[in-house]
Amino acid sequence: MLKVVFHEAYMARYPTGAVETPARVRSIMGNLQGCYEVVVPRPASKEDLLRAHTPDHLTQVQLEGKAVWEAAVLAAGGALCAARLTAQSRQPVFAAVRPPGHHAGRNRYGGFCFFNNMAVSLLALLHDGTVKRAAVIDFDMHRGDGTAEIFNGDSRCLFLDVSSAEKECFVQNIAGFLDALPLVDIIGISAGFDMHLKDWGGCLSNSDYHHIGRLLGETARRKAFGRVFAVLEGGYMPHELGKAVYAFCRGLEGKELIDVTPMTRP
Ligand SMILES: [Zn+2]
C-alpha cells in the first residue's frame, strides 16, 4: 500500500517565486488524504544536508531567513523519510513536499529549490549502507541540473533526466530507460508535474501520469525490490496538480485509474 509523506508546515508561506504556493500541496492532499496513510517527517539534520551540499551553501540558505530555512530542511527531511520508508517496507511512497529540490546543486540554488531533497535522501541511504546502488528518474519539465551535478561521477547512482526528450517521446523515453535499467536497490523519482496539459508544458494528461506511475512501479517491483519513492518537484496549476498526482500514485501502486475527482474537503 502506498504511503504519503506530508507535514502541515509544507503549507507554510515563505519568500519564493510567486507560482510556488501552498495551494500546490493543498491540492495534492485534497486528493490523497483519506486514500492513503500519511506519515509525518522530521527535518533533515545538518549532517544529512552536508552530504549533498557545501557548508557555505547551508550558510547561504540560512541567510534567506528562518521561514525559508525551516521549510527547506523539512522538505529534505520529507524526502529522506520517504526513502527510508520504502527501503524498509518495499512499498511505494509519495512525498508531497515544498520547496522542490532538483535545481539545487552542491553550492548553488535557484528555481524555487534550496536543498536537493532527492540527493540528500539517497546520499543518506548510500552512506549508512541501506542501499548500494540507486537510480533517479526526473520527469519534471525542467532539467534536474542540481541532481545531475551532485551525482556527476558517482557510479552508485544512475540518473535519467527526461526533460531533454521531445514532447512526443516523453513516455517512450522513460520506458526505454526502465527497460535498460540494471538491478538497483532503490528508485527515486523527481516527480514534477509541469508537463501537464494544463500546466506550462501543455503535454501530458492525467492518464499519461498514471501510465508513467505504472511503468515505474512495475520496474521497481522487478528491478529494485519494490523500493520506489517519489518526491514532488514542479507543477504550478494547483487545480490540476492534485488530480495528476493522484493518477500517478494509482499507477505507482499498480492500480487502475478509477476516479480523479477531488474529494470533498470540510
Ligand atoms: Zn519544473
Side-chain angles (χ1 to χ4, degrees):
M1 185 74 183
L2 184 138
K3 285 182 181 157
V4 175
V5 171
F6 178 71
H7 196 294
E8 289 289 325
Y10 292 150
M11 294 198 281
R13 291 197 174 275
Y14 47 83
T16 186
V19 295
E20 206 282 274
T21 61
R24 301 175 60 235
V25 287
R26 197 175 303 125
S27 163
I28 293 173
M29 294 314 288
N31 282 266
L32 301 189
Q33 217 152 30
C35 303
Y36 299 113
E37 183 187 334
V38 176
V39 179
V40 180
R42 297 151 60 103
S45 67
K46 283 198 177 174
E47 194 186 350
D48 292 329
L49 299 170
L50 285 169
R51 288 190 202 99
H53 300 287
T54 63
D56 185 53
H57 181 94
L58 269 61
T59 306
Q60 289 303 315
V61 176
Q62 237 156 0
L63 290 173
E64 294 282 341
K66 190 168 177 280
V68 164
W69 173 265
E70 285 180 354
V73 292
L74 195 57
L80 179 50
C81 173
R84 289 212 185 283
L85 272 174
T86 196
Q88 286 162 10
S89 69
R90 303 186 174 194
Q91 298 291 320
V93 182
F94 187 90
V97 306
R98 282 179 64 239
H102 71 155
H103 294 308
R106 281 211 173 272
N107 196 35
R108 64 189 168 83
Y109 56 91
F112 322 138
C113 303
F114 298 94
F115 294 129
N116 194 303
N117 304 323
M118 178 57 70
V120 168
S121 65
L122 286 177
L123 288 170
L125 269 64
L126 287 163
H127 173 78
D128 67 19
T130 304
V131 302
K132 290 193 164 50
R133 202 146 193 237
V136 175
I137 290 105
D138 186 327
F139 65 74
D140 190 274
M141 176 185 165
H142 305 95
R143 196 171 119 70
D145 50 349
T147 315
E149 183 210 300
I150 293 170
F151 286 117
N152 184 32
D154 189 335
S155 61
R156 301 171 300 173
C157 187
L158 301 164
F159 181 51
L160 173 75
D161 194 318
V162 193
S163 68
S164 55
E166 294 295 317
K167 282 184 182 182
E168 294 73 26
C169 53
F170 202 86
V171 178
Q172 292 92 314
N173 198 305
I174 295 176
F177 175 81
L178 294 178
D179 270 346
L181 187 73
L183 295 179
V184 291
D185 297 317
I186 194 166
I187 296 175
I189 306 166
S190 269
F193 294 85
D194 37 11
M195 277 297 267
H196 194 281
L197 274 172
K198 294 180 181 170
D199 209 305
W200 297 341
C203 177
L204 301 177
S205 65
N206 290 333
S207 152
D208 289 328
Y209 282 112
H210 178 254
H211 184 58
I212 290 171
R214 190 182 272 279
L215 286 174
L216 284 159
E218 279 170 6
T219 305
R221 288 187 287 280
R222 229 176 42 240
K223 297 186 179 180
F225 308 99
R227 290 165 171 162
V228 60
F229 69 107
V231 181
L232 181 67
E233 301 286 359
Y236 300 100
M237 302 297 154
H239 184 66
E240 301 303 322
L241 182 56
K243 287 180 265 186
V245 171
Y246 177 73
F248 171 74
C249 286
R250 289 287 297 184
L252 197 60
E253 56 177 352
K255 293 189 176 158
E256 295 300 320
L257 184 54
I258 43 171
D259 182 18
V260 289
T261 313
M263 296 177 63
T264 311
R265 303 295 299 155

